[in-house]
Amino acid sequence: MSAPNRNSNKGRLFVYPNEKRMVTLRSIADRCGVDVSTVSKVIHGREIRVGEETRAKILAAAKELNYRPNALARSLRLRRSGAIVMAMRDTSGFVYPEIIDGAQDAAERHGTCLFLLKYSSGEKAGPSLISLVQEGRIDGILWDNMPYKSFSQELIDAQVPFICLNGYADVKGQCITLDDREGFERQANYLADLGHKRIGFIGVEPQSEISILCREAFLSTLKARGIDVPAKHIWHCHFEGDDAIRIVDSIDGADRPTAIASASLMAAKRLCDSLIRKGIRVPEDISIIGYHDGPDAQWNSPPLTTVKMPSRSQGALAVECLLEMVAGGKFHKREVADSSEIIERESCLRYP
Amino acid sequence: MSAPNRNSNKGRLFVYPNEKRMVTLRSIADRCGVDVSTVSKVIHGREIRVGEETRAKILAAAKELNYRPNALARSLRLRRSGAIVMAMRDTSGFVYPEIIDGAQDAAERHGTCLFLLKYSSGEKAGPSLISLVQEGRIDGILWDNMPYKSFSQELIDAQVPFICLNGYADVKGQCITLDDREGFERQANYLADLGHKRIGFIGVEPQSEISILCREAFLSTLKARGIDVPAKHIWHCHFEGDDAIRIVDSIDGADRPTAIASASLMAAKRLCDSLIRKGIRVPEDISIIGYHDGPDAQWNSPPLTTVKMPSRSQGALAVECLLEMVAGGKFHKREVADSSEIIERESCLRYP
DNA sequence: TTGAAAGCGCTAACAC
DNA sequence: GTGTTAGCGCTTTCAA
């Protein structure tokens, strides 16, 4: 009755390394007296053409034996690994954790495995990531940022499905980004709504494309509401160095701003620090609002009011777009549906 | 002359999804007029028994065709994926980035791929991670922490090779940890060497095993040098909440400490904040030293003096031990060779 | 020194 | 409804 057991080691050519007996489709097939293909259909196939009784028997056996399909064999056959990678240069000042959460969720929904990968900033980072795809380990890559300019062209040449989470680098449009314009408009409107008239702004880099866009969104929103930000109240703050201290030193005039918006959370925190050390109170003397929300914001003293961006949705959308490309589709640009919101904490006060 | 091309699609049963022509061993074999097995030997085998001429020809073809071995096929055959995972619960207040760097290096040296994986804290985190191994995607797991108590037993039962980076949870000894005792002794000695006599200590959790060990190492080192820390100068600070503020409120007596050591970087930073807000200067009035070093430490104002632990070596060693287990060996406990060091920045001053 | 053969575990087209 | 068959790309034994 039962099928011949081909597992039976009859003169096997050689002994496998790491010999631990696995539960395979064949184990189940043998136990149920059916063919592996039938088992395969039941376990994974969407085909319904299997008898109810057989199906039940197979499912029971699978459960009983604690069957785990071998992803490697499956992937080899299907020519798809079912795994994607989110590559990032830095794991401390991280990609906003919410992006990862969103991406994770989406991947899970699609039965895909999402790994994170830290790449070194050297020259070999790119090629070695591309190899991962070429070796079949990974189906596609999500980038927080390209390791170097013009790398996106290399990816395209190598036919590697990828999506960038930052559209301001040279990524040939394959990016899913946040609507920073909307975010900075909201930031500006928030301060204006609170009644502030003398407002300052801290950008990240003076010259970068993204930085300019954000600054302009902020300034033009204020302008439309009749508020001009003088050049001397527009600063830039790097993550390292003591820019924050210099900024504070420079604002101690009679016409100092009553509120300062920062384009980064880090800069907002450092500004807070420096202000307080100088004896200027936050928010009583100067209100501060950050951009992007994170655990750091609420641990700050005072807890920071920020513009929270829909990073979670961004991560999810990026994964979905990537998987479409993996499935053979072209990249199809879509906008993150959700919008920003203000998270009110304690660093902003109504003025006057 | 040339071998028959079995790639030639003669009546192929079905068309593969995502049909892109790959360069396989067969491509090379065909081009060189040899058998795949010969090519395999040249490309990966350690066997030298291949003619010099043939070898050269094959290598040239491989290079020319930009051959990438299919990791999936290889893994399937070898029953080893060549990838490991570092699983972590949180990606923002990260495992010390250096652990990852060290692990990455070691993995690379061993031709293994290291992925990071964020697991959710729910019940299903464990099983789904175990599945990754059972499905063959991953050979072993590095944990920053167990998702829940008694999980290590589940891993052992499932025969999953794993190593924990934190030995204070319930991990049945399969851990590669830092020598925190040595670290806290160094911290204590540093403050004593600076001449401080009234010293405070901030732990993380009052009751946890690790917390107690660290505190005792610190206190007994000071005691051996004739310095007693009164109970009222021993505090605990959580990452959330306003413990730091309460601490500051409680130390404003005439006998307040001249130096405070913290068992975490975060607590040190928050303490700094609170002290400064209260008008107590760091380091002029009170010196502060943190534990563990990270980018945050140098961005603090003032930049924090800390005890830097050999996290990099820890990561590397953990990977090496894990790979031994993957190769079938038993876990063999080894100590991280390097020791801690003091990173002097600006938050500590000689006393008086 | 090289090639033939078997098979890792799985899937899908096709025949029965 | 179920089994047969071929094959994903690779490695290793054994025979030539």
Side-chain angles (χ1 to χ4, degrees):
Chain A
M1 262 319 162
S2 77
N5 185 345
R6 293 208 223 146
N7 239 0
S8 58
N9 248 5
K10 35 127 194 168
R12 257 237 312 251
L13 283 179
F14 78 113
V15 176
Y16 285 91
N18 195 15
E19 183 91 28
K20 43 179 161 177
R21 280 267 151 261
M22 307 183 64
V23 179
T24 70
L25 286 185
R26 159 139 283 116
S27 326
I28 300 177
D30 287 352
R31 170 181 280 238
C32 297
V34 297
D35 187 80
V36 280
S37 64
T38 307
V39 182
S40 173
K41 277 175 207 151
V42 171
I43 301 281
H44 270 294
R46 51 215 65 196
E47 231 177 329
I48 335 272
R49 299 142 88 347
V50 175
E52 254 331 305
E53 203 179 332
T54 323
R55 165 185 307 271
K57 198 166 54 175
I58 288 171
L59 254 20
K63 184 158 195 178
E64 192 182 340
L65 295 173
N66 190 28
Y67 170 72
R68 298 276 170 234
N70 183 311
L72 262 23
R74 189 149 203 273
S75 301
L76 177 61
R77 185 62 231 248
L78 260 25
R79 289 161 161 262
R80 188 156 310 158
S81 75
I84 57 177
V85 143
M86 179 141 147
M88 50 215 167
R89 182 188 278 121
D90 193 2
T91 47
S92 57
F94 221 135
V95 179
Y96 300 98
E98 297 239 312
I99 294 188
I100 298 176
D101 292 340
Q104 196 98 291
D105 282 357
E108 205 163 313
R109 276 200 303 279
H110 291 267
T112 298
C113 200
L114 175 72
F115 293 120
L116 311 180
L117 186 69
K118 178 171 182 178
Y119 61 89
S120 43
S121 51
E123 285 287 306
K124 57 180 187 158
S128 88
L129 267 268
I130 290 182
S131 289
L132 242 37
V133 177
Q134 292 177 328
E135 291 169 1
R137 275 186 204 279
I138 292 299
D139 294 329
I141 308 179
L142 252 29
W143 297 91
D144 64 339
N145 237 315
M146 291 289 146
Y148 41 83
K149 294 269 174 208
S150 87
F151 184 63
S152 63
Q153 189 56 50
E154 285 177 46
L155 287 167
I156 291 171
D157 292 345
Q159 301 206 53
V160 171
F162 77 98
I163 279 180
C164 195
L165 297 163
N166 169 349
Y168 304 95
D170 163 37
V171 289
K172 310 266 179 192
Q174 290 195 21
C175 53
I176 298 294
T177 54
L178 261 9
D179 187 350
D180 286 317
R181 174 174 298 282
E182 193 264 349
F184 281 95
E185 285 169 4
R186 192 178 300 271
Q187 196 186 43
N189 280 321
Y190 180 74
L191 294 181
D193 288 347
L194 281 180
H196 292 278
K197 300 271 185 278
R198 288 202 309 282
I199 297 176
F201 181 80
I202 302 183
V204 181
E205 302 163 52
Q207 302 300 344
S208 83
E209 194 181 340
I210 178 172
S211 212
I212 293 170
L213 180 147
C214 297
R215 192 174 61 220
E216 287 315 311
F218 183 84
L219 297 177
S220 64
T221 304
L222 286 186
K223 183 153 211 156
R225 299 189 60 163
I227 299 171
D228 267 307
V229 178
K232 66 172 181 178
H233 288 165
I234 299 175
W235 304 276
H236 296 277
C237 180
H238 287 276
F239 295 153
E240 291 145 69
D242 46 9
D243 291 348
I245 295 173
R246 275 198 297 274
I247 292 174
V248 170
D249 285 342
S250 78
I251 62 171
D252 216 7
D255 64 342
R256 74 179 182 199
T258 61
I260 298 177
S262 166
S264 86
L265 192 53
M266 176 60 77
K269 285 166 62 69
R270 306 195 69 200
L271 180 69
C272 248
D273 265 15
S274 304
L275 246 18
I276 291 166
R277 302 199 71 170
K278 187 105 187 246
I280 301 174
R281 294 165 304 164
V282 178
E284 295 83 352
D285 300 326
I286 296 186
S287 290
I288 303 234
I289 181 169
Y291 192 74
H292 273 302
D293 197 49
D296 277 3
Q298 83 187 61
W299 294 344
N300 196 66
S301 60
L304 281 172
T305 292
T306 64
V307 180
K308 181 187 171 90
M309 300 301 291
S311 302
R312 203 179 173 98
S313 311
Q314 183 195 14
L317 185 56
V319 164
E320 265 148 26
C321 289
L322 182 62
L323 290 180
E324 271 172 27
M325 295 173 76
V326 167
K330 282 249 159 297
F331 172 70
H332 172 63
K333 178 85 180 172
R334 279 189 276 160
E335 302 298 330
V336 178
D338 305 303
S339 62
S340 62
E341 56 180 316
I342 299 287
I343 305 294
E344 292 193 284
R345 296 203 181 84
E346 299 166 29
S347 65
C348 288
L349 237 40
R350 174 161 292 281
Y351 184 85
Chain B
M1 262 314 165
S2 76
N5 184 345
R6 293 208 223 146
N7 240 0
S8 59
N9 246 3
K10 34 131 196 168
R12 258 237 312 252
L13 281 179
F14 78 112
V15 176
Y16 285 92
N18 196 14
E19 183 91 30
K20 43 179 162 178
R21 279 266 152 263
M22 308 184 62
V23 178
T24 70
L25 285 186
R26 160 139 282 113
S27 327
I28 299 176
D30 286 353
R31 169 179 282 238
C32 297
V34 298
D35 187 79
V36 280
S37 63
T38 307
V39 181
S40 173
K41 278 172 205 152
V42 171
I43 301 282
H44 264 120
R46 53 213 66 194
E47 231 177 329
I48 335 268
R49 300 140 97 335
V50 175
E52 252 333 303
E53 203 181 333
T54 321
R55 166 187 305 273
K57 199 164 55 173
I58 288 171
L59 255 19
K63 184 157 196 181
E64 192 181 342
L65 295 173
N66 189 28
Y67 171 71
R68 299 275 169 235
N70 184 311
L72 263 24
R74 187 147 206 275
S75 302
L76 176 60
R77 185 63 231 249
L78 260 25
R79 290 160 161 261
R80 188 156 310 158
S81 75
I84 58 177
V85 142
M86 177 138 148
M88 50 215 165
R89 183 188 277 121
D90 192 2
T91 47
S92 56
F94 222 134
V95 181
Y96 301 98
E98 298 239 313
I99 295 188
I100 298 176
D101 292 339
Q104 196 97 291
D105 282 357
E108 204 162 315
R109 274 200 302 280
H110 291 268
T112 298
C113 199
L114 174 72
F115 293 120
L116 311 179
L117 186 70
K118 177 171 183 179
Y119 61 89
S120 43
S121 52
E123 285 289 305
K124 58 179 186 158
S128 88
L129 267 268
I130 291 182
S131 288
L132 241 38
V133 176
Q134 292 177 328
E135 291 168 0
R137 276 186 203 279
I138 291 299
D139 294 328
I141 308 180
L142 251 31
W143 296 91
D144 64 338
N145 237 314
M146 290 288 147
Y148 42 83
K149 294 267 176 215
S150 88
F151 184 64
S152 63
Q153 190 55 52
E154 285 177 46
L155 287 168
I156 291 170
D157 292 345
Q159 302 204 52
V160 170
F162 76 98
I163 279 180
C164 196
L165 297 163
N166 170 349
Y168 304 95
D170 162 38
V171 289
K172 310 269 180 190
Q174 291 195 19
C175 53
I176 298 294
T177 54
L178 260 10
D179 187 349
D180 285 318
R181 174 173 298 283
E182 193 264 349
F184 280 94
E185 283 169 4
R186 191 177 299 271
Q187 197 186 43
N189 280 322
Y190 179 74
L191 293 181
D193 288 346
L194 281 181
H196 292 278
K197 300 267 184 280
R198 290 202 308 281
I199 296 176
F201 181 79
I202 303 183
V204 181
E205 301 162 53
Q207 304 299 347
S208 83
E209 194 182 338
I210 177 173
S211 212
I212 293 170
L213 180 147
C214 296
R215 192 175 59 222
E216 288 314 314
F218 183 86
L219 296 177
S220 64
T221 303
L222 285 185
K223 184 153 211 154
R225 300 189 60 162
I227 300 171
D228 266 308
V229 178
K232 66 172 178 176
H233 288 165
I234 299 175
W235 304 276
H236 296 277
C237 180
H238 287 277
F239 295 151
E240 291 145 70
D242 46 9
D243 291 348
I245 296 172
R246 275 198 297 273
I247 291 173
V248 171
D249 285 343
S250 79
I251 62 171
D252 216 7
D255 65 342
R256 75 180 180 199
T258 61
I260 298 178
S262 166
S264 85
L265 192 53
M266 176 59 79
K269 285 165 62 70
R270 306 195 69 199
L271 180 69
C272 249
D273 265 13
S274 305
L275 245 18
I276 290 167
R277 302 198 71 169
K278 187 107 187 244
I280 301 175
R281 294 165 303 164
V282 177
E284 294 83 353
D285 299 327
I286 296 187
S287 290
I288 303 232
I289 182 170
Y291 192 74
H292 272 303
D293 195 51
D296 276 2
Q298 80 187 61
W299 294 345
N300 196 65
S301 60
L304 281 172
T305 292
T306 65
V307 180
K308 180 187 172 90
M309 300 300 291
S311 302
R312 200 178 176 98
S313 311
Q314 184 195 14
L317 184 56
V319 164
E320 264 147 29
C321 290
L322 182 62
L323 291 180
E324 270 173 27
M325 295 173 77
V326 167
K330 281 248 162 295
F331 172 71
H332 172 60
K333 178 86 178 172
R334 279 188 277 159
E335 302 298 331
V336 178
D338 306 301
S339 63
S340 61
E341 56 180 315
I342 300 285
I343 304 294
E344 291 193 284
R345 295 203 183 84
E346 301 167 27
S347 65
C348 287
L349 236 42
R350 174 159 291 282
Y351 185 85

